[in-house]
Amino acid sequence: MSSFQRLRQVALAVILIWGWKRAVIAMAAGALSVLALAPFNAWPVLFVTFPVLVWLIDGTGAGRLGGVPAAALTGYWFGLGYFVPGLYWIGYAFFVDADVFAWLTPFAVLGLPAYLSIFTAIGFALARLLWTKDATRILALAASLTIAEWLRGHALTGFPWNAFGYALSEPLPLAQTASLIGQWGMTFLTVAIFASPAVLIDRTPDGRMAWRVPAAAVALLVVMGIFGAIRLSLHPTTMVAGAKLRLMQPNLQQDARFNYSAKAEVMKKYLALSDRASGPQSTGVRDATILIWPESAFPFFLTREADAMAEIAELLPKGTVLITGSIRAPDLPPGKPVTRAYNSIYVIDHDGSVLAVYDKLHLVPFGEYLPFQDTMEKLGFEQLTRMRGGFIPGTVRHVLPVPGAPPALPLICYEAIFPGEVGGRDERPGWIVNLTNDGWFGISTGPYQHMEQARMRAVELGLPLVRSANTGVSAVIDPVGRTVASLGLGIEGILDANLPTAIPPTLYARVGDIPAAMLVALAVLLAVRRRIAKRPPRSRRPVETAGIL
């Protein structure tokens, strides 16, 4: 028996399977697909798992209502298999304050994936509506899942974590295509390329057509790699003159960070670590013009603690500024207690004066606020940060002026996972500063995924990324995604580096998601046209399963 015949047998078995076995296969395909993401980056596994998705949808054609409900259920099981192992690390956050939140861990680890899987179910259902019996069904699946992933990234404030397009974030030459079509375009290409081998088992008139689609997909990967290699060669890493960075990674335990009694201990650690010599020729913080501390750096309101501000002023030499995360109290009448706060970034000069402030816009549901906050609090619930009333969202994203460097685009924590989160449209920033605290998620795959997604924003926009994280990964990334310097997960230390120079605006930076929308629209148009053209008369229409029968 030839390998082609064996492949056909496997495909037929998947197409014809039903019941709980179909659910198991879909979940297994989802779980294996997680290996394509950071830190594993084993993206060739998708050449195995995505064809299985095509065959599973092929088999739903025998179901009622054109197979749409069966396809949706299949998509739901695939999503559950994908999101549970991909997001298991969320459970770590509920053990930071275990006495209060540990009992919620199963609900978080299973509940969030159960919600996100609704979107993959929508994608599969839409694909079934567009399904054909030839290779056009690959485009139908790519377009449908891209639409579903876009919805996942926007509905109810959005959560586009681990979008399928991140599978092509490594190797770096492949990632460069994001500078043209953004993350949603990369998602479309990822599904189309890796699902293409499914058509190898289709019957074709000349016996050769089936090979052309996967061959074209491999050729597209090669073209992407060549484009990426050329782009990397055309943009060697260059540095901003006179801008010297020092990133401080304290690796503090999460429970110490929101405890006011730890104020003196936290400040002592930050100050000492920031001024630590990094080598025989180092003079500590005096080597830097920009010192950067991570998100929510203090368990207190920084600017309301005169002694802390004085210690910062004493630390910073003339010509050096501090960029730091901190919770910020709103402006209130004298004597009124502070009940809510902003999650903010400060730029502080060497004399202790505040030069600029940015308030986080995109707050984390259940972490920084609760949906239906008042009602949930009356029922006894609270978000992980335990700030009654939740954090206050900022009102506008704007660039931060930084003395001695170009203006910076501020992104706090998971704001960096949202494609298109671009501020200062009237003034292009010179770099992205991303302050985060991944200490909530321990030593797990979560911080690596977070880092990889932040790096893709640099590639998309042609802007260098400077990422300061409490427990890591802290890094300096150039505008095409090369790592200039990094400090690994779970390490205490400092990272000295120069600031890379931005490159001219990318196509994605200029036009946003228009190219991705055009790809999706064209694929939908082709699928609809093909489906209408191939539809037999109602009186003799066969049961539609796949092009192999």
Side-chain angles (χ1 to χ4, degrees), residues 446-512:
Y448 293 104
Q449 295 169 359
H450 199 182
M451 172 64 205
E452 194 75 2
Q453 294 172 75
R455 188 183 70 150
M456 287 299 287
R457 304 292 83 78
V459 177
E460 287 172 349
L461 301 175
L463 296 175
L465 169 76
V466 177
R467 186 174 194 265
S468 178
N470 168 33
T471 57
V473 180
S474 296
V476 177
I477 307 294
D478 82 357
V480 291
R482 283 182 289 244
T483 301
V484 175
S486 66
L487 197 58
L489 183 62
I491 298 173
E492 174 190 304
I494 49 96
L495 184 66
D496 291 325
N498 293 321
L499 175 63
T501 307
I503 61 176
T506 63
L507 177 65
Y508 180 76
R510 293 195 299 268
V511 303

Side-chain angles (χ1 to χ4, degrees), residues 69-321:
L73 187 59
T74 300
Y76 190 85
W77 292 124
F78 169 77
L80 203 61
Y82 182 74
F83 292 118
V84 170
L87 298 173
Y88 75 93
W89 43 265
I90 287 177
Y92 284 60
F94 291 83
F95 284 93
V96 170
D97 198 347
D99 292 344
V100 177
F101 294 111
W103 67 277
L104 289 169
T105 303
F107 299 96
V109 172
L110 296 177
L112 179 60
Y115 162 70
L116 298 178
S117 297
I118 294 172
F119 295 96
T120 53
I122 292 171
F124 275 51
L126 180 58
R128 185 65 234 182
L129 288 170
L130 299 172
W131 212 242
T132 65
K133 296 199 292 182
D134 58 21
T136 314
R137 67 193 193 278
I138 303 300
L139 295 179
L141 180 62
S144 299
L145 284 181
T146 302
I147 292 170
E149 288 287 84
W150 185 89
L151 287 173
R152 177 163 73 89
H154 291 81
L156 301 178
T157 76
F159 190 71
W161 197 286
N162 288 352
F164 298 134
Y166 288 115
L168 290 178
S169 61
E170 285 285 354
L172 190 55
L174 294 179
Q176 301 306 308
T177 304
S179 67
L180 303 176
I181 59 177
Q183 185 54 43
W184 305 123
M186 294 292 281
T187 294
F188 177 89
L189 291 185
T190 296
V191 178
I193 289 170
F194 293 113
S196 64
V199 307
L200 286 172
I201 48 83
D202 290 3
R203 293 192 184 279
T204 56
D206 60 6
R208 294 183 300 171
M209 286 293 291
W211 290 96
R212 296 177 185 176
V213 173
V218 172
L220 179 57
L221 270 180
V222 172
V223 170
M224 290 171 64
I226 293 172
F227 166 77
I230 293 173
R231 186 170 189 262
L232 289 169
S233 68
L234 291 176
H235 296 291
T237 307
T238 60
M239 302 298 177
V240 176
K244 298 180 179 180
L245 307 171
R246 167 163 282 213
L247 280 63
M248 188 273 296
Q249 183 169 297
N251 197 35
L252 275 180
Q253 293 297 313
Q254 180 59 33
D255 56 0
R257 299 175 64 80
F258 294 97
N259 183 354
Y260 184 82
S261 64
K263 170 188 170 183
E265 177 188 350
V266 169
M267 282 301 300
K268 181 179 179 181
K269 184 181 183 72
Y270 277 41
L271 296 170
L273 190 55
S274 297
D275 202 26
R276 177 186 294 179
S278 58
Q281 306 300 318
S282 174
T283 59
V285 72
R286 286 171 291 282
D287 293 337
T289 59
I290 303 172
L291 174 65
I292 304 178
W293 290 351
E295 176 195 14
S296 300
F298 315 98
F300 51 86
F301 295 116
L302 175 62
T303 56
R304 294 194 169 202
E305 301 287 339
D307 55 341
M309 293 295 288
E311 289 176 313
I312 289 173
E314 185 178 353
L315 169 72
L316 299 176
K318 188 174 182 179
T320 300
V321 297

